[in-house]
Amino acid sequence: MPANDEVDRIVDAWLRERPDLDFAPLQVFSRVARLSKHLDRARRTAFSRSELDSWEFDVLSALRRAGAPYELSPKLLLQQTLVSSGTMTNRIDRLVERGLVTRRTDPNDGRGIFVGMTPAGLTRVDAAITRLVDAEAALLASLPVADQERLAALLRRLSLDFD
C-alpha cells in the first residue's frame, strides 16, 4: 500500500470532524484536481517553450489533427475548441498577425473562409505536442503501463457522462 498523500490527510481530518458523511468522492476528485494543477503547469511549460499560449495550441492542434492541408472552416474550429464565434474570430485574427495561420476564401462559396496553418504554425504545434507528450509521460512514469491503461479506461467511462 502506498504512503498516504495530502488527500488522505484531508479526508482523515474530515472523517474525524464529520463521520456522518461519505468522503469517497473527495478521494477521487480531490486527487484529480491536484493532478490537474500539475498537468496545467506541464502544459504551460510545453506550450511556452514553443512560444504558444494554450489557446493558440488549441486552434493550431485542431488544424494539425485535420491533416494536410491543415485547414478548417471557422465553424469546425468552433466545434473543436468550444469557444464562442466572437472569441474564435479574435483568436484567428491574432494567429494571422503572428503568421501562424492564414485565411482564404472558400472557392466553392465566396462567403465562406478557410483557416489554414502556415509552416511556422506547423513547426510550433509539432514542437509543442512533442513536448507535451513527453511531459505527460513523465507525470505518469510512476505507474506501470497496465495501470495507465486501466486509469485511462476508468476516466473515459466517467467522462462519457460529461461529453
Side-chain angles (χ1 to χ4, degrees):
M1 178 86 173
N4 285 351
D5 65 3
E6 185 62 21
V7 173
D8 289 321
R9 290 184 279 283
I10 290 167
V11 169
D12 287 347
W14 273 118
L15 282 169
R16 189 178 59 250
E17 296 300 315
R18 292 293 310 270
D20 57 308
L21 295 177
D22 176 8
F23 289 98
L26 237 59
Q27 292 278 1
V28 173
F29 290 112
S30 290
R31 286 185 176 91
V32 169
R34 288 172 174 272
L35 290 170
S36 175
K37 290 178 185 178
H38 292 286
L39 178 59
D40 286 343
R41 188 178 309 122
R43 286 181 170 207
R44 280 193 310 272
T45 300
F47 300 153
S48 69
R49 287 183 60 211
S50 301
E51 300 177 19
L52 294 174
D53 287 328
S54 61
W55 67 265
E56 292 172 315
F57 177 80
D58 288 346
V59 175
L60 293 175
S61 65
L63 292 168
R64 181 65 166 104
R65 291 189 313 267
Y70 313 116
E71 286 186 329
L72 290 172
S73 69
K75 181 180 179 180
L76 288 175
L77 281 170
L78 285 171
Q79 291 171 351
Q80 292 195 26
T81 59
L82 303 175
V83 297
S84 70
S85 176
T87 297
M88 182 53 67
T89 298
N90 184 318
R91 289 179 176 187
I92 293 168
D93 290 345
R94 290 172 65 187
L95 287 166
V96 167
E97 287 172 16
R98 291 197 59 205
L100 301 177
V101 302
T102 60
R103 278 191 183 98
R104 73 174 180 89
T105 304
D106 181 345
N108 299 317
D109 177 3
R111 297 169 296 158
I113 65 164
F114 285 114
V115 177
M117 192 160 33
T118 66
L122 181 62
T123 298
R124 294 250 178 105
V125 76
D126 278 354
I129 192 63
T130 299
R131 289 178 173 124
L132 177 61
V133 169
D134 290 345
E136 290 182 357
L139 290 173
L140 290 170
S142 65
L143 289 178
V145 172
D147 286 350
Q148 291 179 34
E149 291 170 355
R150 187 168 159 242
L151 178 59
L154 290 168
L155 290 171
R156 178 182 306 109
R157 196 162 87 198
L158 182 62
S159 70
L160 287 173
D161 290 337
F162 301 102
D163 287 344

